[in-house]
Amino acid sequence: QVSFCAHRLVLALVVRPCAVMAALDELAAPVVSPDEEERVNRIRAGFRINWMNMGDAATGRVLWQKDVWDNFAEYQEAEVSKEILACRQVSRELNFSSDELMNEFRLVQKLLFKGSLLEEWAFTFGFVIPGSTNTWQQTIDAAEESEMLPAELLSGNLVIESTFFEGNHKIAQSRVKLY
């Protein structure tokens, strides 16, 4: 009977990976006290992305910038110069504000091509002072040129999904579709 259950789980993972993974995440989620839940809700309410840019890390040249950020939009769109594909390292600056203290602020960023995971990175900021505005810069090494997809194929098919956490608690998520 155990092997049957395991087999059904594997089948479910193949057929409905998102639903099963969400259920597994929910099972693995820590039990949260009412006080902790209230704290996390205050963090969510007081967290804002103010602006973001991306550019060539070697030269410091900004190739894309968005000064007004809609923190509640499911998707945002960005027209990014294909010059960014020629960069050996891409710099991203993110300016954010937080009304609340955070001890373990971090970001998981996924590149999704036509909905499938292409790459994933994790970044840790750490401590955030309450009532502060911060600029956080990350440098991302580019793939080898032979491994790059052409700009024409990426345009409209690539989404950058950035999920922000305080410890293991999801604070916010942003999805930017690139053209």
PDB file of all heavy atoms in Angstrom, residues 61-94:
ATOM      1  N   ARG A  61      26.453  51.220 -16.775  1.00  0.00           N
ATOM      2  CA  ARG A  61      25.442  51.810 -17.667  1.00  0.00           C
ATOM      3  C   ARG A  61      24.079  51.166 -17.421  1.00  0.00           C
ATOM      4  O   ARG A  61      23.936  49.959 -17.494  1.00  0.00           O
ATOM      5  CB  ARG A  61      25.864  51.619 -19.118  1.00  0.00           C
ATOM      6  CG  ARG A  61      24.928  52.264 -20.101  1.00  0.00           C
ATOM      7  CD  ARG A  61      25.515  52.250 -21.496  1.00  0.00           C
ATOM      8  NE  ARG A  61      24.460  52.592 -22.425  1.00  0.00           N
ATOM      9  CZ  ARG A  61      24.183  51.905 -23.508  1.00  0.00           C
ATOM     10  NH1 ARG A  61      24.912  50.854 -23.828  1.00  0.00           N
ATOM     11  NH2 ARG A  61      23.200  52.277 -24.289  1.00  0.00           N
ATOM     12  N   VAL A  62      23.087  51.988 -17.125  1.00  0.00           N
ATOM     13  CA  VAL A  62      21.724  51.508 -16.899  1.00  0.00           C
ATOM     14  C   VAL A  62      21.060  51.282 -18.254  1.00  0.00           C
ATOM     15  O   VAL A  62      21.025  52.179 -19.093  1.00  0.00           O
ATOM     16  CB  VAL A  62      20.912  52.508 -16.037  1.00  0.00           C
ATOM     17  CG1 VAL A  62      19.455  52.088 -15.943  1.00  0.00           C
ATOM     18  CG2 VAL A  62      21.529  52.637 -14.647  1.00  0.00           C
ATOM     19  N   LEU A  63      20.515  50.078 -18.450  1.00  0.00           N
ATOM     20  CA  LEU A  63      19.868  49.735 -19.721  1.00  0.00           C
ATOM     21  C   LEU A  63      18.348  49.692 -19.600  1.00  0.00           C
ATOM     22  O   LEU A  63      17.655  49.671 -20.610  1.00  0.00           O
ATOM     23  CB  LEU A  63      20.390  48.390 -20.230  1.00  0.00           C
ATOM     24  CG  LEU A  63      21.895  48.361 -20.517  1.00  0.00           C
ATOM     25  CD1 LEU A  63      22.368  46.944 -20.801  1.00  0.00           C
ATOM     26  CD2 LEU A  63      22.229  49.281 -21.679  1.00  0.00           C
ATOM     27  N   TRP A  64      17.854  49.669 -18.376  1.00  0.00           N
ATOM     28  CA  TRP A  64      16.406  49.689 -18.138  1.00  0.00           C
ATOM     29  C   TRP A  64      16.155  50.219 -16.730  1.00  0.00           C
ATOM     30  O   TRP A  64      16.889  49.893 -15.798  1.00  0.00           O
ATOM     31  CB  TRP A  64      15.813  48.288 -18.268  1.00  0.00           C
ATOM     32  CG  TRP A  64      14.374  48.217 -17.865  1.00  0.00           C
ATOM     33  CD1 TRP A  64      13.297  48.573 -18.611  1.00  0.00           C
ATOM     34  CD2 TRP A  64      13.848  47.792 -16.606  1.00  0.00           C
ATOM     35  NE1 TRP A  64      12.132  48.389 -17.909  1.00  0.00           N
ATOM     36  CE2 TRP A  64      12.450  47.901 -16.658  1.00  0.00           C
ATOM     37  CE3 TRP A  64      14.429  47.325 -15.423  1.00  0.00           C
ATOM     38  CZ2 TRP A  64      11.615  47.574 -15.605  1.00  0.00           C
ATOM     39  CZ3 TRP A  64      13.599  46.989 -14.365  1.00  0.00           C
ATOM     40  CH2 TRP A  64      12.209  47.112 -14.463  1.00  0.00           C
ATOM     41  N   GLN A  65      15.140  51.057 -16.590  1.00  0.00           N
ATOM     42  CA  GLN A  65      14.767  51.556 -15.273  1.00  0.00           C
ATOM     43  C   GLN A  65      13.267  51.804 -15.241  1.00  0.00           C
ATOM     44  O   GLN A  65      12.689  52.299 -16.213  1.00  0.00           O
ATOM     45  CB  GLN A  65      15.497  52.844 -14.920  1.00  0.00           C
ATOM     46  CG  GLN A  65      15.134  53.322 -13.512  1.00  0.00           C
ATOM     47  CD  GLN A  65      16.171  54.216 -12.895  1.00  0.00           C
ATOM     48  OE1 GLN A  65      17.334  54.160 -13.233  1.00  0.00           O
ATOM     49  NE2 GLN A  65      15.731  55.035 -11.962  1.00  0.00           N
ATOM     50  N   LYS A  66      12.661  51.447 -14.135  1.00  0.00           N
ATOM     51  CA  LYS A  66      11.239  51.721 -13.906  1.00  0.00           C
ATOM     52  C   LYS A  66      11.152  52.499 -12.602  1.00  0.00           C
ATOM     53  O   LYS A  66      11.493  52.000 -11.540  1.00  0.00           O
ATOM     54  CB  LYS A  66      10.433  50.428 -13.835  1.00  0.00           C
ATOM     55  CG  LYS A  66       8.948  50.687 -13.687  1.00  0.00           C
ATOM     56  CD  LYS A  66       8.142  49.453 -13.970  1.00  0.00           C
ATOM     57  CE  LYS A  66       6.694  49.793 -13.778  1.00  0.00           C
ATOM     58  NZ  LYS A  66       5.849  49.289 -14.796  1.00  0.00           N
ATOM     59  N   ASP A  67      10.693  53.757 -12.721  1.00  0.00           N
ATOM     60  CA  ASP A  67      10.668  54.648 -11.561  1.00  0.00           C
ATOM     61  C   ASP A  67       9.372  54.583 -10.764  1.00  0.00           C
ATOM     62  O   ASP A  67       9.355  54.977  -9.603  1.00  0.00           O
ATOM     63  CB  ASP A  67      10.909  56.095 -12.007  1.00  0.00           C
ATOM     64  CG  ASP A  67      12.327  56.278 -12.523  1.00  0.00           C
ATOM     65  OD1 ASP A  67      13.263  55.759 -11.896  1.00  0.00           O
ATOM     66  OD2 ASP A  67      12.493  56.938 -13.564  1.00  0.00           O
ATOM     67  N   VAL A  68       8.301  54.145 -11.391  1.00  0.00           N
ATOM     68  CA  VAL A  68       7.018  54.043 -10.700  1.00  0.00           C
ATOM     69  C   VAL A  68       6.629  52.575 -10.703  1.00  0.00           C
ATOM     70  O   VAL A  68       6.494  51.959 -11.764  1.00  0.00           O
ATOM     71  CB  VAL A  68       5.929  54.895 -11.402  1.00  0.00           C
ATOM     72  CG1 VAL A  68       4.597  54.720 -10.703  1.00  0.00           C
ATOM     73  CG2 VAL A  68       6.340  56.352 -11.435  1.00  0.00           C
ATOM     74  N   TRP A  69       6.469  52.017  -9.518  1.00  0.00           N
ATOM     75  CA  TRP A  69       6.230  50.590  -9.385  1.00  0.00           C
ATOM     76  C   TRP A  69       4.825  50.353  -8.849  1.00  0.00           C
ATOM     77  O   TRP A  69       4.447  50.914  -7.828  1.00  0.00           O
ATOM     78  CB  TRP A  69       7.263  49.994  -8.420  1.00  0.00           C
ATOM     79  CG  TRP A  69       7.431  48.541  -8.632  1.00  0.00           C
ATOM     80  CD1 TRP A  69       6.810  47.548  -7.952  1.00  0.00           C
ATOM     81  CD2 TRP A  69       8.263  47.898  -9.591  1.00  0.00           C
ATOM     82  NE1 TRP A  69       7.194  46.334  -8.428  1.00  0.00           N
ATOM     83  CE2 TRP A  69       8.090  46.521  -9.436  1.00  0.00           C
ATOM     84  CE3 TRP A  69       9.124  48.370 -10.567  1.00  0.00           C
ATOM     85  CZ2 TRP A  69       8.762  45.592 -10.219  1.00  0.00           C
ATOM     86  CZ3 TRP A  69       9.793  47.441 -11.344  1.00  0.00           C
ATOM     87  CH2 TRP A  69       9.609  46.069 -11.160  1.00  0.00           C
ATOM     88  N   ASP A  70       4.066  49.505  -9.538  1.00  0.00           N
ATOM     89  CA  ASP A  70       2.734  49.133  -9.069  1.00  0.00           C
ATOM     90  C   ASP A  70       2.884  47.875  -8.219  1.00  0.00           C
ATOM     91  O   ASP A  70       3.037  46.774  -8.746  1.00  0.00           O
ATOM     92  CB  ASP A  70       1.794  48.887 -10.250  1.00  0.00           C
ATOM     93  CG  ASP A  70       0.374  48.571  -9.807  1.00  0.00           C
ATOM     94  OD1 ASP A  70       0.150  48.341  -8.606  1.00  0.00           O
ATOM     95  OD2 ASP A  70      -0.513  48.544 -10.676  1.00  0.00           O
ATOM     96  N   ASN A  71       2.856  48.051  -6.901  1.00  0.00           N
ATOM     97  CA  ASN A  71       3.081  46.937  -5.985  1.00  0.00           C
ATOM     98  C   ASN A  71       1.933  45.939  -5.951  1.00  0.00           C
ATOM     99  O   ASN A  71       2.044  44.893  -5.332  1.00  0.00           O
ATOM    100  CB  ASN A  71       3.352  47.467  -4.572  1.00  0.00           C
ATOM    101  CG  ASN A  71       4.716  48.106  -4.477  1.00  0.00           C
ATOM    102  OD1 ASN A  71       5.728  47.423  -4.507  1.00  0.00           O
ATOM    103  ND2 ASN A  71       4.757  49.421  -4.392  1.00  0.00           N
ATOM    104  N   PHE A  72       0.827  46.240  -6.608  1.00  0.00           N
ATOM    105  CA  PHE A  72      -0.336  45.358  -6.548  1.00  0.00           C
ATOM    106  C   PHE A  72      -0.661  44.709  -7.887  1.00  0.00           C
ATOM    107  O   PHE A  72      -1.579  43.898  -7.975  1.00  0.00           O
ATOM    108  CB  PHE A  72      -1.553  46.121  -6.020  1.00  0.00           C
ATOM    109  CG  PHE A  72      -1.311  46.690  -4.652  1.00  0.00           C
ATOM    110  CD1 PHE A  72      -1.047  48.040  -4.483  1.00  0.00           C
ATOM    111  CD2 PHE A  72      -1.302  45.875  -3.538  1.00  0.00           C
ATOM    112  CE1 PHE A  72      -0.796  48.567  -3.231  1.00  0.00           C
ATOM    113  CE2 PHE A  72      -1.046  46.389  -2.277  1.00  0.00           C
ATOM    114  CZ  PHE A  72      -0.795  47.741  -2.125  1.00  0.00           C
ATOM    115  N   ALA A  73       0.066  45.046  -8.944  1.00  0.00           N
ATOM    116  CA  ALA A  73      -0.195  44.463 -10.265  1.00  0.00           C
ATOM    117  C   ALA A  73       0.282  43.019 -10.302  1.00  0.00           C
ATOM    118  O   ALA A  73       1.334  42.688  -9.755  1.00  0.00           O
ATOM    119  CB  ALA A  73       0.529  45.262 -11.343  1.00  0.00           C
ATOM    120  N   GLU A  74      -0.511  42.153 -10.940  1.00  0.00           N
ATOM    121  CA  GLU A  74      -0.098  40.752 -11.079  1.00  0.00           C
ATOM    122  C   GLU A  74       1.124  40.654 -11.992  1.00  0.00           C
ATOM    123  O   GLU A  74       2.055  39.917 -11.727  1.00  0.00           O
ATOM    124  CB  GLU A  74      -1.243  39.906 -11.628  1.00  0.00           C
ATOM    125  CG  GLU A  74      -0.880  38.451 -11.725  1.00  0.00           C
ATOM    126  CD  GLU A  74      -2.028  37.573 -12.184  1.00  0.00           C
ATOM    127  OE1 GLU A  74      -3.178  38.044 -12.247  1.00  0.00           O
ATOM    128  OE2 GLU A  74      -1.764  36.401 -12.477  1.00  0.00           O
ATOM    129  N   TYR A  75       1.097  41.410 -13.103  1.00  0.00           N
ATOM    130  CA  TYR A  75       2.213  41.464 -14.046  1.00  0.00           C
ATOM    131  C   TYR A  75       2.515  42.910 -14.376  1.00  0.00           C
ATOM    132  O   TYR A  75       1.612  43.740 -14.444  1.00  0.00           O
ATOM    133  CB  TYR A  75       1.865  40.756 -15.371  1.00  0.00           C
ATOM    134  CG  TYR A  75       2.055  39.269 -15.334  1.00  0.00           C
ATOM    135  CD1 TYR A  75       0.989  38.435 -15.066  1.00  0.00           C
ATOM    136  CD2 TYR A  75       3.293  38.701 -15.589  1.00  0.00           C
ATOM    137  CE1 TYR A  75       1.146  37.059 -15.041  1.00  0.00           C
ATOM    138  CE2 TYR A  75       3.464  37.331 -15.568  1.00  0.00           C
ATOM    139  CZ  TYR A  75       2.386  36.516 -15.296  1.00  0.00           C
ATOM    140  OH  TYR A  75       2.552  35.158 -15.268  1.00  0.00           O
ATOM    141  N   GLN A  76       3.786  43.184 -14.581  1.00  0.00           N
ATOM    142  CA  GLN A  76       4.207  44.458 -15.121  1.00  0.00           C
ATOM    143  C   GLN A  76       4.996  44.144 -16.379  1.00  0.00           C
ATOM    144  O   GLN A  76       5.520  43.040 -16.531  1.00  0.00           O
ATOM    145  CB  GLN A  76       5.059  45.212 -14.105  1.00  0.00           C
ATOM    146  CG  GLN A  76       4.265  45.466 -12.829  1.00  0.00           C
ATOM    147  CD  GLN A  76       4.916  46.453 -11.922  1.00  0.00           C
ATOM    148  OE1 GLN A  76       5.191  47.569 -12.310  1.00  0.00           O
ATOM    149  NE2 GLN A  76       5.143  46.047 -10.686  1.00  0.00           N
ATOM    150  N   GLU A  77       5.076  45.090 -17.282  1.00  0.00           N
ATOM    151  CA  GLU A  77       5.795  44.873 -18.521  1.00  0.00           C
ATOM    152  C   GLU A  77       7.001  45.797 -18.579  1.00  0.00           C
ATOM    153  O   GLU A  77       6.962  46.905 -18.046  1.00  0.00           O
ATOM    154  CB  GLU A  77       4.881  45.112 -19.720  1.00  0.00           C
ATOM    155  CG  GLU A  77       3.748  44.111 -19.788  1.00  0.00           C
ATOM    156  CD  GLU A  77       2.866  44.279 -21.001  1.00  0.00           C
ATOM    157  OE1 GLU A  77       3.006  45.291 -21.726  1.00  0.00           O
ATOM    158  OE2 GLU A  77       2.031  43.383 -21.221  1.00  0.00           O
ATOM    159  N   ALA A  78       8.061  45.302 -19.231  1.00  0.00           N
ATOM    160  CA  ALA A  78       9.278  46.096 -19.356  1.00  0.00           C
ATOM    161  C   ALA A  78       9.871  45.891 -20.741  1.00  0.00           C
ATOM    162  O   ALA A  78       9.986  44.755 -21.204  1.00  0.00           O
ATOM    163  CB  ALA A  78      10.287  45.672 -18.294  1.00  0.00           C
ATOM    164  N   GLU A  79      10.215  47.001 -21.375  1.00  0.00           N
ATOM    165  CA  GLU A  79      10.940  46.952 -22.641  1.00  0.00           C
ATOM    166  C   GLU A  79      12.408  47.153 -22.314  1.00  0.00           C
ATOM    167  O   GLU A  79      12.819  48.240 -21.929  1.00  0.00           O
ATOM    168  CB  GLU A  79      10.434  48.022 -23.589  1.00  0.00           C
ATOM    169  CG  GLU A  79       9.039  47.744 -24.100  1.00  0.00           C
ATOM    170  CD  GLU A  79       8.588  48.735 -25.169  1.00  0.00           C
ATOM    171  OE1 GLU A  79       9.450  49.290 -25.878  1.00  0.00           O
ATOM    172  OE2 GLU A  79       7.368  48.930 -25.255  1.00  0.00           O
ATOM    173  N   VAL A  80      13.170  46.069 -22.439  1.00  0.00           N
ATOM    174  CA  VAL A  80      14.585  46.082 -22.083  1.00  0.00           C
ATOM    175  C   VAL A  80      15.406  45.952 -23.361  1.00  0.00           C
ATOM    176  O   VAL A  80      15.125  45.095 -24.206  1.00  0.00           O
ATOM    177  CB  VAL A  80      14.915  44.916 -21.113  1.00  0.00           C
ATOM    178  CG1 VAL A  80      16.389  44.901 -20.760  1.00  0.00           C
ATOM    179  CG2 VAL A  80      14.069  45.023 -19.849  1.00  0.00           C
ATOM    180  N   SER A  81      16.412  46.800 -23.490  1.00  0.00           N
ATOM    181  CA  SER A  81      17.286  46.757 -24.661  1.00  0.00           C
ATOM    182  C   SER A  81      17.944  45.383 -24.767  1.00  0.00           C
ATOM    183  O   SER A  81      18.406  44.821 -23.768  1.00  0.00           O
ATOM    184  CB  SER A  81      18.363  47.833 -24.531  1.00  0.00           C
ATOM    185  OG  SER A  81      19.343  47.658 -25.520  1.00  0.00           O
ATOM    186  N   LYS A  82      18.019  44.856 -25.994  1.00  0.00           N
ATOM    187  CA  LYS A  82      18.663  43.551 -26.172  1.00  0.00           C
ATOM    188  C   LYS A  82      20.166  43.625 -25.897  1.00  0.00           C
ATOM    189  O   LYS A  82      20.825  42.597 -25.793  1.00  0.00           O
ATOM    190  CB  LYS A  82      18.353  42.969 -27.543  1.00  0.00           C
ATOM    191  CG  LYS A  82      18.877  43.721 -28.719  1.00  0.00           C
ATOM    192  CD  LYS A  82      18.444  43.025 -30.000  1.00  0.00           C
ATOM    193  CE  LYS A  82      18.959  43.772 -31.209  1.00  0.00           C
ATOM    194  NZ  LYS A  82      18.536  43.118 -32.441  1.00  0.00           N
ATOM    195  N   GLU A  83      20.689  44.845 -25.715  1.00  0.00           N
ATOM    196  CA  GLU A  83      22.097  45.009 -25.323  1.00  0.00           C
ATOM    197  C   GLU A  83      22.403  44.270 -24.020  1.00  0.00           C
ATOM    198  O   GLU A  83      23.539  43.873 -23.786  1.00  0.00           O
ATOM    199  CB  GLU A  83      22.429  46.490 -25.112  1.00  0.00           C
ATOM    200  CG  GLU A  83      22.477  47.334 -26.348  1.00  0.00           C
ATOM    201  CD  GLU A  83      22.769  48.775 -25.982  1.00  0.00           C
ATOM    202  OE1 GLU A  83      23.853  49.057 -25.419  1.00  0.00           O
ATOM    203  OE2 GLU A  83      21.896  49.624 -26.246  1.00  0.00           O
ATOM    204  N   ILE A  84      21.380  44.095 -23.193  1.00  0.00           N
ATOM    205  CA  ILE A  84      21.601  43.447 -21.897  1.00  0.00           C
ATOM    206  C   ILE A  84      22.062  42.000 -22.071  1.00  0.00           C
ATOM    207  O   ILE A  84      22.771  41.466 -21.228  1.00  0.00           O
ATOM    208  CB  ILE A  84      20.344  43.550 -20.998  1.00  0.00           C
ATOM    209  CG1 ILE A  84      20.756  43.462 -19.529  1.00  0.00           C
ATOM    210  CG2 ILE A  84      19.292  42.507 -21.343  1.00  0.00           C
ATOM    211  CD1 ILE A  84      19.775  44.047 -18.567  1.00  0.00           C
ATOM    212  N   LEU A  85      21.704  41.388 -23.209  1.00  0.00           N
ATOM    213  CA  LEU A  85      22.126  40.008 -23.470  1.00  0.00           C
ATOM    214  C   LEU A  85      23.620  39.908 -23.754  1.00  0.00           C
ATOM    215  O   LEU A  85      24.205  38.834 -23.640  1.00  0.00           O
ATOM    216  CB  LEU A  85      21.323  39.426 -24.640  1.00  0.00           C
ATOM    217  CG  LEU A  85      19.830  39.275 -24.401  1.00  0.00           C
ATOM    218  CD1 LEU A  85      19.126  38.802 -25.672  1.00  0.00           C
ATOM    219  CD2 LEU A  85      19.543  38.345 -23.242  1.00  0.00           C
ATOM    220  N   ALA A  86      24.244  41.020 -24.122  1.00  0.00           N
ATOM    221  CA  ALA A  86      25.678  41.030 -24.398  1.00  0.00           C
ATOM    222  C   ALA A  86      26.510  41.258 -23.135  1.00  0.00           C
ATOM    223  O   ALA A  86      27.729  41.106 -23.160  1.00  0.00           O
ATOM    224  CB  ALA A  86      26.003  42.109 -25.430  1.00  0.00           C
ATOM    225  N   CYS A  87      25.873  41.599 -22.028  1.00  0.00           N
ATOM    226  CA  CYS A  87      26.587  41.869 -20.771  1.00  0.00           C
ATOM    227  C   CYS A  87      27.078  40.564 -20.144  1.00  0.00           C
ATOM    228  O   CYS A  87      26.327  39.602 -20.038  1.00  0.00           O
ATOM    229  CB  CYS A  87      25.681  42.590 -19.769  1.00  0.00           C
ATOM    230  SG  CYS A  87      25.075  44.185 -20.320  1.00  0.00           S
ATOM    231  N   ARG A  88      28.314  40.532 -19.720  1.00  0.00           N
ATOM    232  CA  ARG A  88      28.856  39.356 -19.020  1.00  0.00           C
ATOM    233  C   ARG A  88      28.289  39.277 -17.608  1.00  0.00           C
ATOM    234  O   ARG A  88      28.130  38.207 -17.045  1.00  0.00           O
ATOM    235  CB  ARG A  88      30.390  39.407 -18.971  1.00  0.00           C
ATOM    236  CG  ARG A  88      31.065  39.349 -20.315  1.00  0.00           C
ATOM    237  CD  ARG A  88      30.677  38.157 -21.209  1.00  0.00           C
ATOM    238  NE  ARG A  88      30.694  36.898 -20.497  1.00  0.00           N
ATOM    239  CZ  ARG A  88      29.745  35.958 -20.617  1.00  0.00           C
ATOM    240  NH1 ARG A  88      28.719  36.136 -21.414  1.00  0.00           N
ATOM    241  NH2 ARG A  88      29.823  34.832 -19.957  1.00  0.00           N
ATOM    242  N   GLN A  89      28.011  40.437 -17.027  1.00  0.00           N
ATOM    243  CA  GLN A  89      27.373  40.515 -15.715  1.00  0.00           C
ATOM    244  C   GLN A  89      26.294  41.587 -15.780  1.00  0.00           C
ATOM    245  O   GLN A  89      26.533  42.670 -16.304  1.00  0.00           O
ATOM    246  CB  GLN A  89      28.370  40.873 -14.620  1.00  0.00           C
ATOM    247  CG  GLN A  89      29.382  39.784 -14.316  1.00  0.00           C
ATOM    248  CD  GLN A  89      30.250  40.183 -13.132  1.00  0.00           C
ATOM    249  OE1 GLN A  89      30.728  41.302 -13.047  1.00  0.00           O
ATOM    250  NE2 GLN A  89      30.444  39.249 -12.223  1.00  0.00           N
ATOM    251  N   VAL A  90      25.130  41.241 -15.237  1.00  0.00           N
ATOM    252  CA  VAL A  90      24.023  42.185 -15.197  1.00  0.00           C
ATOM    253  C   VAL A  90      23.865  42.655 -13.759  1.00  0.00           C
ATOM    254  O   VAL A  90      23.862  41.854 -12.827  1.00  0.00           O
ATOM    255  CB  VAL A  90      22.713  41.529 -15.698  1.00  0.00           C
ATOM    256  CG1 VAL A  90      21.532  42.463 -15.521  1.00  0.00           C
ATOM    257  CG2 VAL A  90      22.859  41.103 -17.155  1.00  0.00           C
ATOM    258  N   SER A  91      23.738  43.956 -13.609  1.00  0.00           N
ATOM    259  CA  SER A  91      23.517  44.553 -12.300  1.00  0.00           C
ATOM    260  C   SER A  91      22.037  44.896 -12.183  1.00  0.00           C
ATOM    261  O   SER A  91      21.438  45.406 -13.133  1.00  0.00           O
ATOM    262  CB  SER A  91      24.351  45.830 -12.178  1.00  0.00           C
ATOM    263  OG  SER A  91      23.971  46.545 -11.029  1.00  0.00           O
ATOM    264  N   ARG A  92      21.470  44.589 -11.026  1.00  0.00           N
ATOM    265  CA  ARG A  92      20.091  45.003 -10.771  1.00  0.00           C
ATOM    266  C   ARG A  92      20.068  45.752  -9.453  1.00  0.00           C
ATOM    267  O   ARG A  92      20.601  45.290  -8.447  1.00  0.00           O
ATOM    268  CB  ARG A  92      19.142  43.817 -10.676  1.00  0.00           C
ATOM    269  CG  ARG A  92      17.725  44.323 -10.361  1.00  0.00           C
ATOM    270  CD  ARG A  92      16.721  43.261 -10.154  1.00  0.00           C
ATOM    271  NE  ARG A  92      17.116  42.394  -9.076  1.00  0.00           N
ATOM    272  CZ  ARG A  92      16.531  41.254  -8.807  1.00  0.00           C
ATOM    273  NH1 ARG A  92      15.540  40.843  -9.539  1.00  0.00           N
ATOM    274  NH2 ARG A  92      16.929  40.510  -7.802  1.00  0.00           N
ATOM    275  N   GLU A  93      19.478  46.932  -9.479  1.00  0.00           N
ATOM    276  CA  GLU A  93      19.280  47.709  -8.263  1.00  0.00           C
ATOM    277  C   GLU A  93      17.796  47.754  -7.977  1.00  0.00           C
ATOM    278  O   GLU A  93      16.989  48.009  -8.865  1.00  0.00           O
ATOM    279  CB  GLU A  93      19.808  49.136  -8.418  1.00  0.00           C
ATOM    280  CG  GLU A  93      21.301  49.232  -8.332  1.00  0.00           C
ATOM    281  CD  GLU A  93      21.752  50.678  -8.341  1.00  0.00           C
ATOM    282  OE1 GLU A  93      21.335  51.423  -9.244  1.00  0.00           O
ATOM    283  OE2 GLU A  93      22.529  51.044  -7.452  1.00  0.00           O
ATOM    284  N   LEU A  94      17.480  47.514  -6.735  1.00  0.00           N
ATOM    285  CA  LEU A  94      16.103  47.504  -6.277  1.00  0.00           C
ATOM    286  C   LEU A  94      16.013  48.444  -5.090  1.00  0.00           C
ATOM    287  O   LEU A  94      16.776  48.313  -4.137  1.00  0.00           O
ATOM    288  CB  LEU A  94      15.735  46.075  -5.855  1.00  0.00           C
ATOM    289  CG  LEU A  94      14.448  45.843  -5.115  1.00  0.00           C
ATOM    290  CD1 LEU A  94      13.274  46.063  -6.056  1.00  0.00           C
ATOM    291  CD2 LEU A  94      14.415  44.428  -4.568  1.00  0.00           C
TER     292      LEU A  94
END
